[in-house]
Amino acid sequence: MTIVVTGGAGFIGANFIYYMRSAHPDYRIVCIDKLTYAGNLSTLAPIMDDPDFRFIKADICDRDAIETVFQEEKPDILVNFAAESHVDRSIADPQVFLQTNVLGTQVLMDACRKYGIKRYHQVSTDEVYGDLPLDRPDLFFTEETPIHASSPYSASKAAADLLVIAYHRTYGLPVSISRCSNNYGPYQFPEKLIPLMIANALSDKQLPVYGQGINVRDWLYVEDHCKAIDLILHNGSAGSIYNIGGHNEMRNIDIVKLICHALNKPESLICYVKDRKGHDLRYAIDPAKIHEELGWLPDTKFADGIQKTIAWYLENREWWEEIVSGEYQKYYEKMYGA
Ligand code: NAD
Ligand code: TDX
């Protein structure tokens, strides 16, 4: 079995590669990644010399490069993690989000059609459903919730989902889609809430909370997301969409305070900054379908996962210190000011 993983030098893709290496040691894994600002080869260093692993630096929008991979590797499965993934960057500059997230998805599926594939899996997001009100804790996103994206990022992911469903219906491509809630864990780029707050707190820098910090996100440990995708690839039906989430809703401010306490840092580091434009209020996944059809349940409770994550960032300072000292510094200053 040969599996192509796009975006495998990023946060979830890399965790997925390590998960699959241990769950299916006999699989060949081929990673395609453009190595944008979010891709980091040092993340994949431990697997680079594995004879059943191959890394290819390529853009998923590059049709010739993608076709060459299909000719050489004849993959059975393709899992598409490659994307521009940060909402704030999409608000500042949407173009590359449409390019990679929509057109890149089309290029990958065209290659799957041309060369054949047993399964094309699209890693999507709960953000395609838009948001839920803060005062209706009884409401959750199901797979039937209409698409209602808020940001250029989520609109690009929603557009890609529609294209994936269309390729199934029109061409019979054996696709599946997963829509997961917010992930956290090792190797997450420090522009995202949890690693940003850990890195800033460790450097005694201010902790910028958007608006009042009352927006709610539904957090899932990254390994539980990887396990769900593995189940969908092997047991999920073609043409299906699966929501993934572990019923772990938390307000941003409570996460930030928890990180302060865990690191013995004062809450006075917290500062409230201008809200994100169009900021989604609440995400909450109903994971009943994947639980009932595929028996998936998360293994890691948030209390344990966040401690493991904080410990990882403490033990792997060189991984994120190199990132925050480079090009990222310019983004940080533009985004948050001096
Ligand atoms: P990430 O930004 O950490 O990694 C994205 C990876 O894709 C990087 O390695 C980058 O180099 C690569 N990439 C970007 N453009 C590319 C291109 N044109 N060609 C080839 N490679 C390219 O993202 P992540 O957080 O790991 O998210 C992975 C996927 O999961 C995305 O599709 C995202 O929409 C989805 N998702 C993320 C979350 C979350 O909480 N992070 C939740 C649900 C879904
Ligand atoms: O500095 C910050 N301060 C702050 O208050 C940052 C970076 C974020 N926030 C808030 C905004 C959100 O309400 O924290 C919450 C989480 O923000 P992000 O980490 O940027 O994640 P989010 O916008 O929820 O999107 C994430 O989950 C869904 C991923 O980045 C997406 O790729 C995924 O699809």
Side-chain angles (χ1 to χ4, degrees):
M1 185 73 85
T2 296
I3 176 162
V4 167
V5 177
T6 65
F11 164 48
I12 310 175
N15 277 282
F16 181 74
I17 287 172
Y18 288 123
Y19 179 87
M20 292 302 274
R21 172 48 74 241
S22 98
H24 306 281
D26 52 326
Y27 282 16
R28 176 164 175 77
I29 302 174
V30 177
C31 170
I32 300 176
D33 198 296
K34 185 183 177 181
L35 297 179
T36 67
Y37 79 92
N40 203 325
L41 258 196
S42 72
T43 301
L44 295 173
I47 201 175
M48 276 299 186
D49 294 333
D50 181 328
D52 274 330
F53 176 77
R54 180 178 174 200
F55 178 81
I56 299 164
K57 182 176 186 303
D59 187 330
I60 59 164
C61 302
D62 181 343
R63 217 168 261 279
D64 291 342
I66 297 303
E67 291 204 5
T68 303
V69 177
F70 272 75
Q71 286 157 8
E72 289 176 2
E73 295 288 348
K74 301 177 180 53
D76 300 283
I77 294 174
L78 188 149
V79 186
N80 181 24
F81 291 92
E84 289 293 332
S85 69
H86 193 38
V87 173
D88 293 323
R89 288 184 193 252
S90 83
I91 293 167
D93 185 7
Q95 176 66 39
V96 69
F97 284 74
L98 299 179
Q99 180 71 26
T100 289
N101 299 2
V102 185
L103 298 179
T105 297
Q106 184 212 357
V107 168
L108 294 173
M109 289 194 297
D110 282 346
C112 289
R113 282 185 64 209
K114 185 164 173 183
Y115 294 96
I117 199 82
K118 294 196 179 90
R119 176 63 59 88
Y120 172 88
H121 184 79
Q122 178 75 359
V123 180
S124 186
T125 169
D126 59 357
E127 296 197 18
V128 301
Y129 298 121
D131 62 354
L132 296 164
L134 291 173
D135 60 355
R136 288 292 307 272
D138 55 313
L139 296 180
F140 297 91
F141 297 135
T142 74
E143 290 80 359
E144 270 70 52
T145 302
I147 279 180
H148 199 271
S150 312
S151 70
Y153 161 71
S154 51
S156 70
K157 294 295 289 185
D161 282 12
L162 291 175
L163 201 60
V164 173
I165 294 161
Y167 268 53
H168 175 67
R169 166 105 185 223
T170 308
Y171 306 118
L173 195 72
V175 305
S176 45
I177 297 177
S178 52
R179 293 178 176 155
C180 190
S181 60
N182 286 59
N183 284 214
Y184 68 100
Y187 301 115
Q188 187 166 28
F189 195 86
E191 67 189 348
K192 306 282 165 60
L193 180 76
I194 288 181
L196 184 145
M197 296 300 165
I198 296 172
N200 278 17
L202 286 172
S203 312
D204 295 308
K205 282 175 69 175
Q206 288 196 318
L207 308 176
V209 171
Y210 298 163
Q212 298 172 275
I214 55 173
N215 303 61
V216 170
R217 296 293 182 266
D218 186 358
W219 294 94
L220 185 73
Y221 193 61
V222 62
E223 206 173 82
D224 282 320
H225 184 185
C226 297
K227 191 177 81 167
I229 294 173
D230 184 19
L231 273 175
I232 296 168
L233 293 177
H234 293 96
N235 303 331
S237 49
S240 282
I241 298 170
Y242 294 91
N243 283 353
I244 308 172
H247 282 302
N248 185 69
E249 291 176 49
M250 291 183 71
R251 298 189 314 168
N252 295 337
I253 186 65
D254 297 327
I255 301 248
V256 178
K257 286 183 177 171
L258 189 156
I259 291 170
C260 285
H261 298 162
L263 291 173
N264 256 324
K265 299 289 180 180
E267 285 185 14
S268 57
L269 285 178
I270 296 172
C271 68
Y272 293 90
V273 300
K274 198 162 154 257
D275 210 351
R276 175 183 278 174
K277 288 191 176 78
H279 198 172
D280 279 337
L281 293 172
R282 169 176 170 251
Y283 302 145
I285 281 277
D286 175 355
K289 179 176 173 183
I290 190 165
H291 174 57
E292 282 157 23
E293 266 189 33
L294 306 180
W296 177 86
L297 276 177
D299 289 326
T300 302
K301 291 193 185 71
F302 186 78
D304 301 329
I306 193 72
Q307 291 308 332
K308 273 204 272 188
T309 303
I310 291 172
W312 189 88
Y313 280 87
L314 279 167
E315 283 157 21
N316 292 276
R317 284 188 88 119
E318 70 291 353
W319 183 88
W320 58 268
E321 277 178 348
E322 199 179 312
I323 292 170
V324 296
S325 66
E327 196 55 25
Y328 176 72
Q329 199 58 42
K330 283 190 201 143
Y331 162 80
Y332 196 87
E333 272 160 31
K334 193 172 144 208
M335 184 67 208
Y336 298 93

